[in-house]
Amino acid sequence: MTGAPMIGFGSGSEGQTCSRANCSNPAGWNINWRNPRIHGPERVKIWLACDEHRDYLHDYLEARDFPVVVTALDEPLDRLPDVTTDVSSSVIAPETALP
Protein backbone atom coordinates (compact mmCIF):
# COMPACT_ATOMS: atom_id res chain seq x y z
CA MET A 1 0.00 0.00 0.00
CA THR A 2 1.27 3.50 -0.78
CA GLY A 3 1.51 6.39 1.61
CA ALA A 4 -1.52 8.08 0.02
CA PRO A 5 -3.91 9.59 2.57
CA MET A 6 -7.19 7.75 3.05
CA ILE A 7 -10.42 8.79 4.63
CA GLY A 8 -11.67 5.92 6.75
CA PHE A 9 -8.47 5.37 8.74
CA GLY A 10 -7.32 2.18 10.46
CA SER A 11 -4.22 0.12 9.85
CA GLY A 12 -4.18 -2.04 6.74
CA SER A 13 -7.44 -3.03 5.13
CA GLU A 14 -8.91 -4.52 8.31
CA GLY A 15 -11.25 -2.27 10.23
CA GLN A 16 -11.56 0.35 7.49
CA THR A 17 -15.07 1.64 6.99
CA CYS A 18 -16.92 3.33 4.16
CA SER A 19 -16.37 7.09 3.78
CA ARG A 20 -20.06 7.78 3.04
CA ALA A 21 -21.63 9.84 5.83
CA ASN A 22 -23.33 7.72 8.51
CA CYS A 23 -22.14 4.45 6.96
CA SER A 24 -20.24 1.99 9.15
CA ASN A 25 -20.04 -0.85 6.61
CA PRO A 26 -16.61 -2.36 5.95
CA ALA A 27 -14.81 -0.82 2.99
CA GLY A 28 -14.01 -2.99 -0.01
CA TRP A 29 -13.08 -0.32 -2.56
CA ASN A 30 -10.79 2.67 -3.02
CA ILE A 31 -12.35 5.66 -4.73
CA ASN A 32 -9.17 7.30 -6.10
CA TRP A 33 -9.73 10.91 -7.14
CA ARG A 34 -8.26 14.41 -7.34
CA ASN A 35 -9.33 17.96 -8.04
CA PRO A 36 -7.47 18.84 -11.28
CA ARG A 37 -8.01 22.55 -10.74
CA ILE A 38 -5.65 22.51 -7.74
CA HIS A 39 -3.65 19.25 -7.96
CA GLY A 40 -1.57 17.50 -10.62
CA PRO A 41 -1.70 13.77 -11.51
CA GLU A 42 0.72 12.86 -8.70
CA ARG A 43 -1.83 13.87 -6.03
CA VAL A 44 -4.36 11.10 -5.34
CA LYS A 45 -7.03 11.36 -2.69
CA ILE A 46 -8.72 8.16 -1.58
CA TRP A 47 -12.18 7.66 -0.19
CA LEU A 48 -13.12 4.21 1.01
CA ALA A 49 -16.39 2.63 -0.12
CA CYS A 50 -18.53 -0.36 0.74
CA ASP A 51 -20.31 -2.25 -2.04
CA GLU A 52 -23.52 -0.28 -1.40
CA HIS A 53 -21.91 3.17 -1.77
CA ARG A 54 -19.21 2.50 -4.38
CA ASP A 55 -21.22 3.83 -7.32
CA TYR A 56 -22.70 6.71 -5.30
CA LEU A 57 -19.27 8.06 -4.27
CA HIS A 58 -17.87 7.54 -7.78
CA ASP A 59 -20.80 9.36 -9.39
CA TYR A 60 -20.62 12.21 -6.86
CA LEU A 61 -17.02 12.94 -7.85
CA GLU A 62 -17.52 12.32 -11.57
CA ALA A 63 -20.43 14.81 -11.62
CA ARG A 64 -17.92 17.45 -10.50
CA ASP A 65 -15.59 16.58 -13.41
CA PHE A 66 -12.93 15.13 -11.11
CA PRO A 67 -10.80 12.28 -12.45
CA VAL A 68 -11.93 9.22 -10.51
CA VAL A 69 -10.94 5.56 -10.66
CA VAL A 70 -12.29 2.78 -8.45
CA THR A 71 -9.91 0.01 -7.43
CA ALA A 72 -9.96 -2.85 -4.97
CA LEU A 73 -9.17 -1.82 -1.40
CA ASP A 74 -5.65 -3.25 -1.56
CA GLU A 75 -4.83 -1.52 -4.90
CA PRO A 76 -4.42 2.25 -4.38
CA LEU A 77 -3.02 4.33 -7.24
CA ASP A 78 0.13 6.47 -7.13
CA ARG A 79 -0.97 8.78 -9.98
CA LEU A 80 -4.32 9.79 -11.40
CA PRO A 81 -4.20 11.42 -14.84
CA ASP A 82 -7.35 12.82 -16.43
CA VAL A 83 -9.37 9.68 -17.20
CA THR A 84 -12.81 8.54 -18.22
CA THR A 85 -14.33 5.72 -16.21
CA ASP A 86 -16.93 3.03 -16.75
CA VAL A 87 -18.98 2.09 -13.68
CA SER A 88 -20.31 -1.07 -15.34
CA SER A 89 -17.12 -3.04 -14.66
CA SER A 90 -16.35 -4.60 -11.30
CA VAL A 91 -13.16 -2.55 -11.05
CA ILE A 92 -13.19 0.77 -12.82
CA ALA A 93 -10.02 1.31 -14.80
CA PRO A 94 -8.72 4.27 -16.80
CA GLU A 95 -9.24 4.08 -20.55
CA THR A 96 -5.67 5.29 -21.00
CA ALA A 97 -2.62 3.57 -19.57
CA LEU A 98 -0.94 5.14 -16.56
CA PRO A 99 2.59 6.40 -17.28
Side-chain angles (χ1 to χ4, degrees):
M1 194 182 272
T2 68
M6 288 188 209
I7 297 176
F9 310 111
S11 60
S13 60
E14 294 179 23
Q16 294 183 336
T17 59
C18 181
S19 298
R20 175 78 166 110
N22 300 315
C23 182
S24 58
N25 292 336
W29 302 96
N30 286 325
I31 311 296
N32 303 276
W33 67 282
R34 69 180 173 89
N35 182 340
R37 292 182 265 303
I38 59 175
H39 295 295
E42 68 285 348
R43 172 67 188 252
V44 180
K45 296 182 179 191
I46 301 173
W47 285 352
L48 304 178
C50 64
D51 289 339
E52 180 181 349
H53 294 117
R54 183 188 85 171
D55 292 342
Y56 173 85
L57 292 170
H58 170 273
D59 294 348
Y60 177 88
L61 295 164
E62 187 177 60
R64 285 147 182 82
D65 293 326
F66 294 163
V68 57
V69 175
V70 176
T71 60
L73 188 61
D74 60 349
E75 297 176 11
L77 299 178
D78 291 328
R79 294 179 56 83
L80 191 62
D82 294 328
V83 294
T84 305
T85 59
D86 174 11
V87 295
S88 64
S89 62
S90 60
V91 175
I92 302 165
E95 291 181 354
T96 58
L98 293 174

